[in-house]
Amino acid sequence: MASRPQSTPSPDRSTPQRLQRRLGVLDSTAIGLGSMLGAGVFVVFAPAAALAGSLLAVAVALAGVIAYCNAVASAQLAAIYPSSGGTYVYGRNTLGEWPGFIAGWGFVTGKTASCAAMALTFGHYVAPQFATPLAVAAVVVLTGVNLLGITRTALLTRILLGVVLATLAFVAAAAVLGPHAPSDGGAGAAAGGWGVLPAAGLMFFAFAGYARIATLGEEVKDPTRTIPRAIFAALAAAFVIYLGLALLLQWQLPAQQLAGSTAPLLDAVASSELSAGAPFVQAGAAAACLGALLALITGVGRTAMAMARERDLPSPLARVGGAHTVPYLAELAVAAAVIVLLLTTNVLTVVGFSSFGVLIYYSVTNAAAFTLPTRPRHAPRWLNVLGFLGCLLLAVTLPPASVLGMAAVLAVGLAGRFLVLRRRLRKAAA
């Protein structure tokens, strides 16, 4: 299918109202870093350690390399197509409608489940006996914040990010002070070290927050300059933090305890000389969940809006309005879907599910960036090839339930789009 030069709707449809450019480098970086330092930083080390064992830091480094490839591709494309929707828009413009749909559908479905996981994690940290009602309340309140406009979202994200960074600094100090666990030979490592690949796939879930910067491309000032700077700054900061925490956690906790922990950072503090600060870590985890949930609802809503503009989702979701020019119907639809998941499903197991969807999303990003005729010196084509193959490798080596579950969701989306297109063709021919 022939590519189109710009991400604009077809001529037979009225031009949609555009969002306003309000975000600078600092706000964009804060949104990306706030997404990457969400609930994942408080839970992802345990399942990754169970798979990688003593090679946890290697899994973090591998995930970081793939994330860098994806960040380069995202920065290239976002500077050229500074519209809401991220890789959904990039895929449509460079590869065709079907690759774009695969990216958009994978992002919306996977990240909607992630929103529910973030909300429920918040509830469990604050008051486990009332986890679900608290999670629903968090979704309602944060959706209200988003409806007040993107500058309010960025302000609250900066505040929550500050709390999270202070919490992580406290955890690092506790791990340094010890007492430290004796070496147990890397118990829990996967046989032959093959567990590093699925562990890297899970760790990638934590790095994927910079996608939020790209999905907000229509609301960024001077996108050609701002988006690349914000993406690389957020990714570099997240990589240093994750690698440092991986090394400190392995130093502080026995390998078997780390692998089986449901709250590894809390356990690290509880077993240290700073154990009295455990409630501070709980509060930081709650703030992290709220920050990530806020950014996720924003990003998923913008991608849904972009898909609705092209009628890959119901067209009313493309409406932008209100005093703060936000995609209010898309935001409300995402919130409703998250609340349904919270009330009907246990979503704490969707990290692998979401990772698979996001890795497919970024494989499309790398394929789209590969087609660009001009590129900066730091973005050679071989980097796009490495990112594409790396994403697919990490995706297929995730736990089988995650792979099969997300593959089924993608198949349903593709079949649904095929049937809708056939129906439209029949109506047009009638």
Side-chain angles (χ1 to χ4, degrees):
M1 183 176 294
S3 62
R4 297 184 300 173
Q6 296 183 6
S7 56
T8 54
S10 302
D12 61 329
R13 300 195 300 277
S14 59
T15 301
Q17 183 180 355
R18 314 305 292 182
L19 302 176
Q20 296 182 19
R21 299 194 181 277
R22 304 176 185 267
L23 300 177
V25 175
L26 180 60
D27 284 337
S28 301
T29 302
I31 288 175
L33 186 57
S35 301
M36 283 186 273
L37 296 181
V41 73
F42 291 91
V43 297
V44 75
F45 288 108
L51 291 166
S54 60
L55 300 179
L56 176 60
V58 177
V60 174
L62 180 58
V65 169
I66 302 302
Y68 175 76
C69 294
N70 299 338
V72 170
S74 296
Q76 288 178 263
L77 291 159
I80 298 174
Y81 303 106
S83 299
S84 292
T87 296
Y88 170 71
V89 172
Y90 313 152
R92 284 182 65 93
N93 281 282
T94 60
L95 302 174
E97 293 182 2
W98 282 102
F101 177 82
I102 291 172
W105 183 246
F107 182 87
V108 168
T109 55
K111 290 302 184 181
T112 297
S114 293
C115 287
M118 298 293 183
L120 197 53
T121 302
F122 163 76
H124 279 297
Y125 266 93
V126 174
Q129 65 273 32
F130 301 109
T132 298
L134 281 173
V136 172
V139 171
V140 171
V141 171
L142 293 183
T143 300
V145 172
N146 278 332
L147 293 178
L148 291 176
I150 192 63
T151 54
R152 275 73 171 181
T153 299
L155 174 61
L156 182 54
T157 299
R158 287 204 305 270
I159 295 171
L160 294 175
L161 177 59
V163 174
V164 173
L165 290 175
T167 304
L168 297 182
F170 181 81
V171 172
V176 169
L177 290 175
H180 304 119
S183 175
D184 56 6
W194 288 107
V196 168
L197 290 177
L202 292 180
M203 288 301 310
F204 184 81
F205 168 81
F207 281 109
Y210 53 81
R212 236 67 71 232
I213 301 171
T215 59
L216 299 175
E218 194 172 311
E219 294 161 275
V220 173
K221 302 174 185 175
D222 190 9
T224 303
R225 170 183 173 272
T226 299
I227 291 176
R229 291 188 177 189
I231 286 177
F232 291 128
L235 178 60
F239 178 76
V240 171
I241 291 170
Y242 274 105
L243 185 60
L245 285 174
L247 294 171
L248 288 172
L249 287 174
Q250 287 186 303
W251 191 25
Q252 174 72 359
L253 297 175
Q256 290 183 338
Q257 181 183 358
L258 175 58
S261 175
T262 56
L265 273 65
L266 184 60
D267 287 348
V269 171
S271 62
S272 74
E273 296 180 2
L274 300 179
S275 57
F280 177 59
V281 177
Q282 291 177 292
C289 294
L290 290 177
L293 179 59
L294 181 67
L296 273 172
I297 293 173
T298 304
V300 176
R302 267 59 176 181
T303 302
M305 177 191 69
M307 295 183 72
R309 285 174 173 173
E310 301 291 349
R311 297 201 300 172
D312 279 336
L313 288 179
S315 56
L317 297 180
R319 292 178 184 170
V320 174
H324 304 287
T325 58
V326 295
Y328 62 98
L329 286 182
E331 296 275 6
L332 292 173
V334 171
V338 173
I339 291 173
V340 169
L341 285 174
L342 288 171
L343 296 177
T344 60
T345 311
N346 180 353
V347 293
L348 291 178
T349 59
V350 300
V351 171
F353 177 91
S354 180
S355 292
F356 186 89
V358 173
L359 285 164
I360 296 300
Y361 173 90
Y362 279 114
S363 68
V364 176
T365 305
N366 282 285
F370 182 84
T371 67
L372 296 178
T374 59
R375 57 190 56 244
R377 184 175 301 177
H378 66 270
R381 276 194 170 84
W382 65 262
L383 205 62
N384 302 144
V385 175
L386 177 61
F388 177 81
L389 295 177
C391 285
L392 294 183
L393 177 62
L394 295 187
V396 299
T397 56
L398 283 166
S402 300
V403 176
L404 295 175
M406 190 59 188
V409 171
L410 289 174
V412 169
L414 289 170
R417 185 176 192 269
F418 176 76
L419 293 176
V420 169
L421 290 178
R422 284 191 62 183
R423 183 179 178 183
R424 289 175 184 168
L425 287 174
R426 288 177 181 174
K427 284 186 176 181

